[in-house]
Amino acid sequence: MKIVVTGGAGFIGSNLTDALLAAGHDVTVLDNFCTGQRRFLEQAAAQPSFRLVELDLLRDDRLVDTIDGAEVVVHLAANADVRFGWDHPGRDVEQNLLVTHRILEACRTTGVGQLLFSSTGSVYGETDVIPTPEDCPFPVQTSLYGASKAAAEGFAQAYAEGTDLRVTIFRFVSIMGPRYTHGHVIDFVRKLRRDHGRLDILGDGTQRKSYLDVSDCVAAVMSRIGQPDRGAVFNLGTPEYCTVTDSATWICGRLGVEPQFVYSGGDRGWIGDNPFIFLDTAKITGTGWQPRFSIREAVERTVDYLLANEWLLELEP
Amino acid sequence: MKIVVTGGAGFIGSNLTDALLAAGHDVTVLDNFCTGQRRFLEQAAAQPSFRLVELDLLRDDRLVDTIDGAEVVVHLAANADVRFGWDHPGRDVEQNLLVTHRILEACRTTGVGQLLFSSTGSVYGETDVIPTPEDCPFPVQTSLYGASKAAAEGFAQAYAEGTDLRVTIFRFVSIMGPRYTHGHVIDFVRKLRRDHGRLDILGDGTQRKSYLDVSDCVAAVMSRIGQPDRGAVFNLGTPEYCTVTDSATWICGRLGVEPQFVYSGGDRGWIGDNPFIFLDTAKITGTGWQPRFSIREAVERTVDYLLANEWLLELEP
C-alpha cells in the first residue's frame, strides 16, 4: 500500500517506516527534522520504495499534494513534550491540534482511505479508574499536551463520522526502545554520565508509570492498517506499571552505577504530571496483539541502545 | 465586579449583559457583530457601567489590553452552528478553539480571576447514557462543532490546572427565548410565514431534544461567578425532553396554523445530528439552581418573541 508517515524521522516514526518497508509497502515520510533524526532513516533511504519530503506540516502548501494518492496516513508528528507546555502555551495547539486538522483536511480532500493517529494516555488526566479503559468517565484535562491530543482525537472522530475517512486512534503510554531520544531514561543516563554518585529525581519516586517497547507499539499500529475503524480508540501499553524509582534502579543497574537518589519531593514531577498511569489494554489485546517486552525489558533495551549510540546523548536535550 | 462578556451582542450574551448590569456589575462586551445584533445592546448601552469593544477575537491585537483589569471573563463568542460544519471545515477550529485559546492566554497573562465558558451537550456525541451526566463514558465526537467545544473545554481545564485561572464550564442544551436568532424555531416560523399549509421537517420528527430558556441559562451562569471552580463542568438543561414533532406542534399552535408536516426521513436531521439529547442536570440543581420555564414554555416564549420582533425574521438565515 502507499502509506504516508508524518514524523517518520522520529523515534516511533522511523521504526514504523522500517517495518512498513520490510512488509512491502511504499512509504513517504514527512518530517521537518525538528526532533527527527536523518540517521534514523539511513536504512529506509536505501529502499527504492521510500521517499522523504522535508516540510513544515503547519504551514507548507505542499502538504495536500504530498498526501495525494496515499491510501493510508499514519500521523505521528507532534510536540511530544508534556513537561514544558507552559513555556510555550501555543505550541501544543499549533503542533498537535492545528497540524492534525491540516492532515485531516488533506486526507478528506484527496480521498485518503484511513488515518491512524497517535494520541496518548495523557488524555485521561488524573482519572480515578485504573487500569484505565478507553471508555472511562469523561476526563478532566490536566496538561496542554493532553488537552491538545484529546482535541485532535475529537476532530479525527468528527471526520470519521462526517466523511469517508476511516480513523484509528491509539492512546500510547510512554514508548521506549531503539531510537528513543526524549524522556526520563535519556535524562537519567545523561545525568549519570556526568555524576555516577548522585541522581536527581523529580517528585518522590513513587509516581507509577507504564512504558511500552517501540517494536510492540509499531506492531500494534500495523495490525490496524486496512481495518474498517470509524474513530475506534485503542489503548496501547503493557499489562503492568513500575515506579520512577524502579525505572531509575534498572537504569543504574544497566549502567553499573550505584548513585544516591535525591528526590525533589512531592507526588508529581511537574505541573500536569500524572502520578499514576496504567492503561487497560483489553481492547487491543482482544484483537490478538500482545506486547513482547515487559516494562523492565523496554527500559533496559533503551539504556543499551543509548550506550551503543552515544551521539544521541550529545544532542541538545 | 469588572466582567468581560465575549459574544455579548449575541442571543445569550446580551441577555447575560443586561442581567449583569442590573446586578450592579461593570460590563465590557466584546463582539464582532458577525451574528450579534446592535439592537440587543440598546438597553445596556444606556448604562454608564457598560462598554462595547468591537473586535475580531481571532486576530485583533487589542484583545489582551481589552481584557486587562477584568476580574471575570464570560466567554460566549462562538460559531454556534452545528449543522453546517462541513461547508467550512476550519471554522469551528478557528472560532471555537483558537479564539478560546487566545482568551485563555489573555486571561493568564493579565491575571483574570475566573473564566466561565459556554460549551455544549454536543460534546457527548451519541452517548448511550441518557440522561447524560457530566462524567459519562469518554465520548466519541460526532460533529466538528462538538469536537471544537470539547477541545476548548480541555484547554480551559489545562489552564485551570496549570495556572491561577479559575474555570467554570457549562454544557448547554439548545437555548430558547427572547433574542433567539438561530435554530429550528426561527427556521420553522420563517417557513410557516411563507406557507401556512406545509412544514418541511429534517429527519422523521422523532429526534428527542432538550431546550432551556435563556433567562434560566443566564441565572445559572451568574450563580457560578465568584465560585472557586477549578475546571468544574455543569450541564445546563431542563429535566425533560421533547420530540421535534412536539416542538413543531407547539410552534404551529402559537402561530395559529395547521400545516401538513413533511418529513425528510431518517433518524437524524443532518450529518452529526444527535437523535437524543437529554442531559442529567443533578450537579447544577444540587447547587440550588432550578429552571423556571419548561421546554414547552421556552419554545412558546421564543415564538412570541419572534412575532413581536419581525425584523429578526427578515435577517439572512
Side-chain angles (χ1 to χ4, degrees), chain B residues 1-314:
Chain B
M1 300 178 87
K2 291 182 190 300
I3 300 179
V4 166
V5 180
T6 73
F11 164 37
I12 301 168
S14 64
N15 277 283
L16 176 66
T17 295
D18 286 344
L20 290 171
L21 290 167
H25 297 291
D26 284 351
V27 179
T28 299
V29 160
L30 311 187
D31 210 293
N32 64 355
F33 293 98
C34 174
T35 56
Q37 299 295 326
R38 290 175 202 282
R39 290 166 77 162
F40 291 169
L41 291 174
E42 281 172 5
Q43 183 182 329
Q47 309 280 327
S49 48
F50 172 79
R51 189 165 70 111
L52 170 66
V53 181
E54 191 169 343
L55 54 63
D56 176 354
L57 293 168
L58 183 62
R59 295 186 184 88
D60 198 307
D61 290 335
R62 294 173 298 163
L63 179 62
V64 171
D65 286 344
T66 309
I67 281 177
D68 197 10
E71 293 156 272
V72 172
V73 172
V74 186
H75 176 40
L76 301 173
N79 169 43
D81 199 326
V82 64
R83 284 163 57 182
F84 301 111
W86 292 106
D87 296 340
H88 313 275
R91 193 159 65 181
D92 289 301
V93 174
E94 290 189 349
Q95 295 300 322
N96 296 351
L97 178 66
L98 292 186
V99 164
T100 301
H101 187 254
R102 285 198 86 200
I103 299 280
L104 286 164
E105 269 299 282
C107 288
R108 180 181 74 87
T109 55
T110 63
V112 166
Q114 184 184 18
L115 176 77
L116 299 97
F117 174 62
S118 57
S119 184
T120 166
S122 294
V123 299
Y124 296 122
E126 294 193 13
T127 179
D128 294 329
V129 183
I130 297 176
T132 311
E134 291 85 352
D135 61 352
C136 78
F138 202 147
V140 173
Q141 298 304 320
T142 54
S143 68
L144 293 172
Y145 175 70
S148 69
K149 286 290 195 177
E153 283 189 17
F155 279 97
Q157 290 169 335
Y159 273 72
E161 176 76 16
T163 78
D164 292 331
L165 183 65
R166 298 191 306 282
V167 170
T168 313
I169 294 164
F170 300 98
R171 294 183 183 145
F172 295 171
V173 296
S174 292
I175 307 297
M176 296 276 150
R179 299 183 186 154
Y180 167 101
T181 58
H182 164 100
H184 84 283
V185 178
I186 198 165
D187 291 346
F188 284 2
V189 171
R190 282 187 179 124
K191 287 181 188 174
L192 289 164
R193 280 158 54 96
R194 284 199 303 271
D195 183 352
H196 285 192
R198 170 191 171 117
L199 181 62
D200 290 303
I201 297 177
L202 292 174
D204 63 9
T206 66
Q207 306 102 291
R208 289 166 288 183
K209 304 286 187 178
S210 296
Y211 305 115
L212 179 70
D213 194 85
V214 67
S215 62
D216 288 324
C217 173
V218 162
V221 171
M222 290 181 67
S223 76
R224 299 311 300 171
I225 290 176
Q227 300 294 329
D229 298 330
R230 302 232 56 115
V233 180
F234 295 95
N235 285 339
L236 282 192
T238 43
E240 50 168 352
Y241 59 85
C242 69
T243 67
V244 170
T245 296
D246 288 336
S247 179
T249 303
W250 299 330
I251 293 165
C252 291
R254 211 65 175 182
L255 294 173
V257 297
E258 293 185 0
Q260 185 194 1
F261 290 169
V262 180
Y263 297 101
S264 69
D267 63 353
R268 284 167 176 74
W270 59 87
I271 292 172
D273 184 25
N274 187 341
F276 193 6
I277 296 173
F278 179 27
L279 305 188
D280 183 333
T281 53
K283 189 172 172 186
I284 186 76
T285 56
T287 70
W289 173 88
Q290 288 284 347
R292 293 182 307 149
F293 294 104
S294 68
I295 287 184
R296 177 170 182 164
E297 289 167 334
V299 169
E300 291 180 343
R301 274 162 52 84
T302 307
V303 177
D304 294 349
Y305 173 78
L306 291 173
L307 294 178
N309 292 273
E310 294 200 332
W311 63 275
L312 275 170
L313 297 170
E314 311 301 330

Side-chain angles (χ1 to χ4, degrees), chain A residues 137-163:
Chain A
F138 202 148
V140 173
Q141 298 305 320
T142 55
S143 69
L144 294 172
Y145 175 70
S148 69
K149 284 290 193 176
E153 283 190 16
F155 279 97
Q157 290 169 335
Y159 273 71
E161 175 77 18
T163 78

Side-chain angles (χ1 to χ4, degrees), chain A residues 111-165:
Chain A
V112 166
Q114 184 184 17
L115 177 77
L116 297 98
F117 174 61
S118 57
S119 184
T120 166
S122 294
V123 300
Y124 296 122
E126 294 194 12
T127 179
D128 294 330
V129 183
I130 295 176
T132 311
E134 291 85 353
D135 61 352
C136 78
F138 202 148
V140 173
Q141 298 305 320
T142 55
S143 69
L144 294 172
Y145 175 70
S148 69
K149 284 290 193 176
E153 283 190 16
F155 279 97
Q157 290 169 335
Y159 273 71
E161 175 77 18
T163 78
D164 292 330
L165 182 65

